[in-house]
Amino acid sequence: MPRKDDIHIDPNGCLVSFNNAAKEFNAQLRDLCDELNLELKNATVVYVDIYSIKYNIIVNYSKYGFETALMACCGYGGPPYNFSFKTMCGASGYQVCDVGSNYISWDGVHYTEAANSLVVSKILTTWYSKPNIAFDYFCNV
C-alpha cells in the first residue's frame, strides 16, 4: 500500500498510478486483440477502450449533466468523494443523494444507471473500438 506522501493525483482528481496501470493493461489487451484477429481468420475480436470513455466522462462531467466528477451518490464522508471503506453504501450511517442520475458513481465503485447509459452510448458509436465495426455487423450472419 503506498504511503500518503507517495500518492499522486492528476488535475482531475484521479490516482495517477491506478490510471497508468489501467492504460498499460489496455495497451497490452489491444495488442492481444490484434494478434487474435491475425490468428483467428474466422473470428472478429473487438477491443473497446472503456478507460478512455470513462475518463472522458469524469473530465467532462458537467458537459454530460453530472453535478460532480468523483463524489459517490451513496456513501459516507461527504465531499469530495463521499466514500469510506469503513462505511460503505448500505452500512449504518451512509447517506444517499436525492437524484442518482446527477452522479457518475453510485457507491464509489459502481457507475450509476445514467453514467452506464452514457458509457454504452459511446461504445455503440464505435469511436472507441478497434476495429470500428458497428454491432449490427455481428447480426448479419
Side-chain angles (χ1 to χ4, degrees), residues 10 12-26 51 55 58:
D10 74 9
N12 298 299
C14 299
L15 293 169
V16 172
S17 60
F18 283 31
N19 281 355
N20 286 344
K23 288 188 271 189
E24 178 60 28
F25 174 86
N26 284 349
Y51 172 85
Y55 195 77
I58 288 170

Side-chain angles (χ1 to χ4, degrees), residues 72-91:
C73 172
C74 182
Y76 178 80
Y81 304 113
N82 197 37
F83 179 81
S84 169
F85 284 111
K86 295 178 183 177
T87 309
M88 298 184 81
C89 182

Side-chain angles (χ1 to χ4, degrees), residues 24-140:
E24 178 60 28
F25 174 86
N26 284 349
Q28 291 183 35
L29 180 60
R30 184 180 54 249
D31 291 346
L32 178 60
C33 290
D34 288 343
E35 288 177 32
L36 288 171
N37 275 321
L38 289 174
E39 290 178 27
L40 304 172
K41 299 296 181 193
N42 294 322
T44 302
V45 178
V46 179
Y47 166 80
V48 179
D49 186 359
I50 300 294
Y51 172 85
S52 292
I53 293 171
K54 289 187 170 186
Y55 195 77
N56 174 276
I57 293 169
I58 288 170
V59 169
N60 298 297
Y61 69 93
S62 60
K63 170 185 165 189
Y64 297 114
F66 297 109
E67 287 182 18
T68 178
L70 301 173
M71 193 162 108
C73 172
C74 182
Y76 178 80
Y81 304 113
N82 197 37
F83 179 81
S84 169
F85 284 111
K86 295 178 183 177
T87 309
M88 298 184 81
C89 182
S92 179
Y94 76 98
Q95 301 167 351
V96 179
C97 65
D98 292 333
V99 182
S101 61
N102 291 342
Y103 290 77
I104 295 171
S105 177
W106 170 248
D107 59 3
V109 178
H110 303 96
Y111 270 31
T112 61
E113 184 177 350
N116 276 322
S117 293
L118 184 56
V119 170
V120 168
S121 71
K122 289 186 170 292
I123 290 171
L124 292 174
T125 68
T126 73
W127 296 339
Y128 298 88
S129 300
K130 183 181 177 190
N132 300 89
I133 298 174
F135 282 92
D136 63 355
Y137 166 84
F138 299 102
C139 300
N140 299 326

